[in-house]
Amino acid sequence: MTLTETGRPQAPAVDVTRASTRFGIAFTVCQLLVMVAMTVFVLPHGGSPTDPALERGQSVLDASQLYRIGNFAFMAAGTLLLGFLGAVHVRLRRADGSGVLATVAVAAGALLALIWPLGGMLHDVALEAASAGADLRILAGWDSVAPFGLAFSVFARVFFMGSIALALRAGGRNPWLVRAAVVIVVLSLAGSATLVAGAMFPLLALSTLAFEVWVGAVAWRWLRDGQ
């Protein structure tokens, strides 16, 4: 009787967890680059918020191609967070065997990767409507879709950051990331009031910038840990 050697499981050619972790850094870098590019090259074409609505709408329509390109880059950069969720799931399952933290973080992260980038797509719809002859004053009003979408996404952000912070705290490592998460969550909740008071937008923008840097810091720390 001839014995044949059964095949042994092969190790994956790529460390998919580390690859997923790198998406966290890519998310941070791309988001920051897009925010700078939008601020410098696109948003100035929309005029000042104090300008008449009709004038602002015409200005946005005149620069519609720039806005479309910016919206596309904005949506692509925002959805990079989806790639990071695999590493988040793996890390949080190690910290919490019940899987509760991992489930909450992945669900909240998926919402984050959808809600704010969706604002870019909705703005494209407004540009299309204006190009077809809709009242340009409506297009001026649609400029609020991005900050309102961002303010709404704060609620998912709180669950995402909170779950990761609890996992980091359970592991007893990187306490500065935990403390930073608490501060950013508080600032984010205050900034979410942009939905009812536009004066709160600077706080929302600041907390968003801090959140994006925090995600990159978490990803970088996990890569350095090498676990």
Side-chain angles (χ1 to χ4, degrees), residues 33-35 37-38 41-43 60 63-77 120-121 123-124 127:
L33 288 176
V34 169
M35 288 176 68
M38 289 287 287
F41 300 111
V42 180
L43 297 181
V60 173
S64 61
Q65 192 59 32
L66 276 176
Y67 272 91
R68 290 177 191 275
I69 294 172
N71 288 338
F72 177 80
F74 169 66
M75 289 184 282
M121 186 273 289
H123 193 258
D124 281 347
L127 287 171

Side-chain angles (χ1 to χ4, degrees), residues 8-115:
R8 297 180 180 178
Q10 301 258 334
V14 178
D15 187 336
V16 291
T17 301
R18 288 184 66 83
S20 177
T21 304
R22 291 189 180 99
F23 270 96
I25 296 175
F27 167 78
T28 295
V29 172
C30 291
Q31 281 287 84
L32 295 180
L33 288 176
V34 169
M35 288 176 68
V36 170
M38 289 287 287
T39 301
V40 174
F41 300 111
V42 180
L43 297 181
H45 291 277
S48 169
T50 59
D51 292 340
L54 185 59
E55 182 179 328
R56 284 192 290 120
Q58 184 63 59
S59 297
V60 173
L61 183 61
D62 291 343
S64 61
Q65 192 59 32
L66 276 176
Y67 272 91
R68 290 177 191 275
I69 294 172
N71 288 338
F72 177 80
F74 169 66
M75 289 184 282
T79 53
L80 287 175
L81 186 63
L82 289 172
F84 183 51
L85 298 184
V88 169
H89 182 269
V90 170
R91 293 284 183 156
L92 270 58
R93 279 304 299 262
R94 291 176 186 172
D96 168 34
S98 72
V100 171
L101 292 180
T103 300
V104 171
V106 170
L111 287 174
L112 271 175
L114 172 66
I115 294 173

